Amino acid sequence: TGAAAAVCTATRIVNGGIMRFGRLWLGSAYGSELLDLSLTLQSQYWDSVSSSWLLNGDDACTGAKLSTSGGSLSGYSGDLSSTNFGADHISSFSNDGTGNGKWKIKLTKPSSAKAGSANLCLDLGPDPGVDPASNVVCSAATSLAMPWLQSKWYPGTSYSNDPWAKVTLGVYRSLRRLIHRREGF
């Protein structure tokens, strides 16, 4: 991990170096089928003191390796399919503006209003095989070649699974937490 993307090269760790056990975390998202959708991607590391995964704010290198050809969509339901919401709808990766370790993945909306869901997966390296229970097929056009950031994602049993998230189009935020709402006409 370095301070600038230009310094992102492999290096030998010698006395005093910091080594972290890390992963890429991909957050699920939902929204209107009429708008583009953004998902959050984070570089995280395991913190043994808090026994939790924390944002790796020191990671200035992973973003330089992200590419839209490293993602795939599968497990379609509803009106979505590979013909109207394929991998070509993964339009960009960008820094989310809050610093290192966080990015946004932009998915462009289907060309015609289609509601449903799909699984978005990032192909980080050697395919460990598809677990039929997860219905996630992660075989992108090009691997991102970062197998060290794979993790034990549900329903996997080893730390060789690619990150994936559910993308749902055609649903809106629930109003159940709403205490008071007033509309004026």
Side-chain angles (χ1 to χ4, degrees):
T1 57
V7 189
C8 297
T9 59
T11 185
R12 184 174 149 193
I13 296 178
V14 292
N15 297 338
I18 296 173
M19 182 178 259
R20 294 178 171 166
F21 176 58
R23 70 179 186 179
L24 274 183
W25 173 85
L26 182 58
S28 295
Y30 62 91
S32 170
E33 71 278 17
L34 304 174
L35 302 171
D36 295 343
L37 188 66
S38 290
L39 288 86
T40 300
L41 178 66
Q42 289 185 2
S43 173
Q44 299 179 336
Y45 69 93
W46 180 254
D47 180 48
S48 60
V49 175
S50 64
S51 295
S52 62
W53 291 96
L54 302 177
L55 172 68
N56 186 0
D58 293 330
D59 185 353
C61 296
T62 301
K65 294 190 77 163
L66 297 175
S67 164
T68 57
S69 63
S72 68
L73 289 158
S74 64
Y76 296 97
S77 70
D79 296 332
L80 294 180
S81 69
S82 60
T83 56
N84 61 33
F85 195 62
D88 57 329
H89 288 265
I90 305 169
S91 62
S92 67
F93 285 93
S94 61
N95 188 300
D96 81 339
T98 63
N100 294 331
K102 287 180 83 175
W103 304 273
K104 291 286 184 190
I105 301 174
K106 181 181 173 188
L107 298 176
T108 55
K109 64 185 177 191
S111 55
S112 60
K114 301 286 184 186
S117 65
N119 297 321
L120 171 65
C121 183
L122 297 180
D123 189 349
L124 296 181
D127 188 3
V130 177
D131 185 334
S134 70
N135 198 26
V136 176
V137 178
C138 198
S139 55
T142 307
S143 170
L144 294 172
M146 295 186 285
W148 57 88
L149 291 175
Q150 291 175 324
S151 193
K152 189 177 178 181
W153 297 111
Y154 178 82
T157 56
S158 68
Y159 286 90
S160 61
N161 300 101
D162 294 320
W164 66 278
K166 180 71 76 177
V167 176
T168 307
L169 300 177
V171 295
Y172 306 92
R173 181 180 214 157
S174 170
L175 299 177
R176 281 187 263 176
R177 292 186 180 180
L178 188 63
I179 295 172
H180 175 74
R181 179 176 177 177
R182 179 178 178 182
E183 294 183 7
F185 297 97

